Amino acid sequence: KILFVGLLWLSVLPVMSQVVDLDRSRLSTAAYYNYSEQGDVTIKLHVWGAVRFPGLYEVPRGTRLSELISLTGGPQLGVRSKRSKTEISLKLHRNMDGQRTVVHQVQMENEIVVQGEDPEVQGEDVLSFEAVTQQGFKWRDIFPVVSMIGTSILIAERVKT
């Protein structure tokens, strides 16, 4: 009986590890995307940060930055209100003389547009997105401040008397 239970446990163990690996792969947002056709000369580069589809991209040589942004789905902005302001910083990093340096940088505000230069991406480049949303002032933001000031005045009056 013990031998049967042991053999059953050993047969179930590989299945359990496959389930754990499957769950782990579903939780990961990083991925590999291949946008080349058979016979294309390709390059591989990384896309990091606040982007819809981060990961390793394999694209045909000659791909422009604007095309790569389209493939990544663009910056992940989330829900915005009329009073909020979102600043998007896009940086293209490249290995030059053994160091990773920024070769192209674009600052965008409430828009997703590559302005000016549209450089060609190269192998091992890293495209990084950073999105910072600043909320506008709302009238309900003043109530905690007024409440704190009122409480401080009441405490000062009580201490005085």
Side-chain angles (χ1 to χ4, degrees):
K1 216 172 186 180
I2 294 175
L3 181 61
F4 175 73
V5 171
L7 288 173
L8 182 65
W9 178 254
L10 288 175
S11 66
V12 171
L13 232 113
V15 173
M16 288 174 55
S17 68
Q18 289 174 358
V19 170
V20 169
D21 289 341
L22 180 62
D23 287 341
R24 197 175 306 138
S25 69
R26 285 184 188 158
L27 296 175
S28 174
T29 58
Y32 171 76
Y33 302 96
N34 186 342
Y35 288 101
S36 61
E37 295 180 13
Q38 191 172 3
D40 282 348
V41 176
T42 63
I43 57 173
K44 290 182 181 176
L45 49 106
H46 302 274
V47 178
W48 298 341
V51 65
R52 286 191 180 99
F53 306 110
L56 177 64
Y57 282 77
E58 187 169 353
V59 295
R61 184 176 284 162
T63 301
R64 297 253 168 228
L65 179 60
S66 59
E67 294 170 309
L68 181 62
I69 292 170
S70 295
L71 294 174
T72 65
Q76 192 166 10
L77 300 175
V79 178
R80 294 186 293 165
S81 68
K82 290 180 181 178
R83 295 185 181 174
S84 68
K85 181 174 110 177
T86 301
E87 293 179 1
I88 303 159
S89 175
L90 179 144
K91 294 179 183 176
L92 184 63
H93 306 265
R94 188 167 290 155
N95 282 331
M96 301 178 94
D97 299 327
Q99 287 189 313
R100 191 170 300 276
T101 57
V102 177
V103 294
H104 186 74
Q105 183 171 353
V106 176
Q107 293 289 105
M108 297 174 268
E109 190 174 304
N110 292 333
E111 59 186 21
I112 308 168
V113 179
V114 176
Q115 301 167 341
E117 187 182 352
D118 190 13
E120 190 175 297
V121 294
Q122 297 179 7
E124 299 303 316
D125 279 356
V126 174
L127 178 62
S128 65
F129 285 84
E130 181 182 0
V132 177
T133 302
Q134 298 172 349
Q135 297 297 328
F137 178 76
K138 296 179 183 172
W139 285 107
R140 68 178 161 192
D141 295 336
I142 201 165
F143 292 125
V145 174
V146 170
S147 174
M148 183 185 69
I149 291 171
T151 303
S152 299
I153 291 171
L154 287 174
I155 290 173
E157 287 292 321
R158 295 264 176 155
V159 169
K160 207 186 220 185
T161 58

